[in-house]
Amino acid sequence: MDTIEYDFYENPEKSSEFQKSRYHVRICNTQTIGTDSIVEAINRQCTLTPADIHAVIIAFQDEIAFQLQQGKIVHIDGLCQFNISLKSRLKENSGKENGSDIVLKRININPDKKLTERVRDNLCHRVKSTGEHSEQISETEITDILTEHFKKKSTITRAEFQRLCSITKYMACQHINRLLSEGRLKNVGFRKHPVYMAVAGHFEEI
């Protein structure tokens, strides 16, 4: 039987979302299931071919986008509801902006009540993680982990850093920013897609 592995994590100090408790529950070792995996699973349960399923998904995406472009609310029974929010492209609004000044702010997605109930009532067995809390990792331990990593590979991504140190995305970003400010790591990728490399003289065995 499949299980969901969880653990308790200390709440971020600056977050107002977790004021009532010092800890919150988070799923550990989660996996991302892509379109191909979904298509394969559906294919095993029906007579549609993978090509047919892909075609339906693409048509589904196109139609949802088309309706949202017209400002409509799209409700998919048993799944979710889509709608859009708008904003002015100008820094200060006078209330007299014309249509060209009004742009997309975001696409909002809200799960259908039926989906929430279905997931809640059939949630897999939950087990507490046997691993240690990620927030307790020391700077020395991180240095040792990165030293070993850079022996095999010249670069590291945030996701790799997070996985190697068994820490959350938030904590990984905190440590990476610290190492960047200390001049021990440098970004050799793009601003929105960073890839990090050790600065010469750091993360080398003495």
Side-chain angles (χ1 to χ4, degrees):
M1 181 178 179
D2 291 334
T3 60
I4 296 177
E5 186 176 334
Y6 71 90
D7 207 344
F8 293 92
Y9 291 83
E10 192 168 0
N11 301 334
E13 294 180 1
K14 296 182 179 180
S15 174
S16 59
E17 182 181 354
F18 310 108
Q19 290 184 342
K20 295 182 179 179
S21 174
R22 287 187 57 200
Y23 293 89
H24 60 281
V25 180
R26 186 184 300 141
I27 295 176
C28 305
N29 302 322
T30 187
Q31 296 180 334
T32 299
I33 304 300
T35 302
D36 288 341
S37 296
I38 296 293
V39 167
E40 290 175 8
I42 294 174
N43 174 241
R44 290 194 295 268
Q45 300 177 55
C46 67
T47 58
L48 291 174
T49 67
D52 291 334
I53 300 170
H54 272 291
V56 171
I57 290 175
I58 292 173
F60 194 63
Q61 294 170 342
D62 290 344
E63 185 59 27
I64 290 174
F66 175 74
Q67 298 296 340
L68 291 176
Q69 288 162 5
Q70 300 178 68
K72 295 180 180 179
I73 297 172
V74 180
H75 179 240
I76 310 299
D77 187 44
L79 185 60
C80 63
Q81 178 173 288
F82 298 87
N83 63 78
I84 63 172
S85 297
L86 302 177
K87 66 177 182 178
S88 171
R89 69 167 74 248
L90 307 178
K91 292 182 179 180
E92 296 183 4
N93 300 327
S94 65
K96 298 179 180 180
E97 289 76 18
N98 59 35
S100 62
D101 295 322
I102 307 303
V103 296
L104 178 70
K105 181 178 182 180
R106 70 170 66 91
I107 296 175
N108 306 303
I109 305 176
N110 299 304
D112 189 284
K113 182 180 179 181
K114 294 178 184 177
L115 177 64
T116 301
E117 292 174 348
R118 185 173 182 178
V119 173
R120 181 193 63 205
D121 296 341
N122 297 279
L123 204 60
C124 288
H125 181 62
R126 282 79 70 197
V127 295
K128 190 175 185 301
S129 173
T130 57
E132 297 180 358
H133 276 257
S134 65
E135 284 85 347
Q136 304 304 318
I137 191 168
S138 69
E139 294 182 12
T140 300
E141 290 173 314
I142 290 177
T143 297
D144 291 341
I145 290 171
L146 291 181
T147 299
E148 286 299 314
H149 173 80
F150 286 127
K151 286 181 182 178
K152 307 169 186 175
K153 191 175 178 182
S154 61
T155 61
I156 189 169
T157 63
R158 189 273 308 159
E160 289 174 320
F161 187 101
Q162 179 180 339
R163 177 179 56 80
L164 288 172
C165 297
S166 298
I167 57 179
T168 64
K169 179 179 179 181
Y170 172 82
M171 293 303 298
C173 291
Q174 291 291 100
H175 283 295
I176 288 173
N177 288 335
R178 172 181 60 81
L179 294 169
L180 288 170
S181 65
E182 292 174 355
R184 303 173 68 190
L185 284 181
K186 60 182 178 180
N187 179 16
V188 295
F190 300 98
R191 184 176 66 84
K192 292 187 177 181
H193 300 283
V195 177
Y196 305 101
M197 180 179 289
V199 173
H202 297 281
F203 304 111
E204 300 174 354
E205 284 191 327
I206 301 176

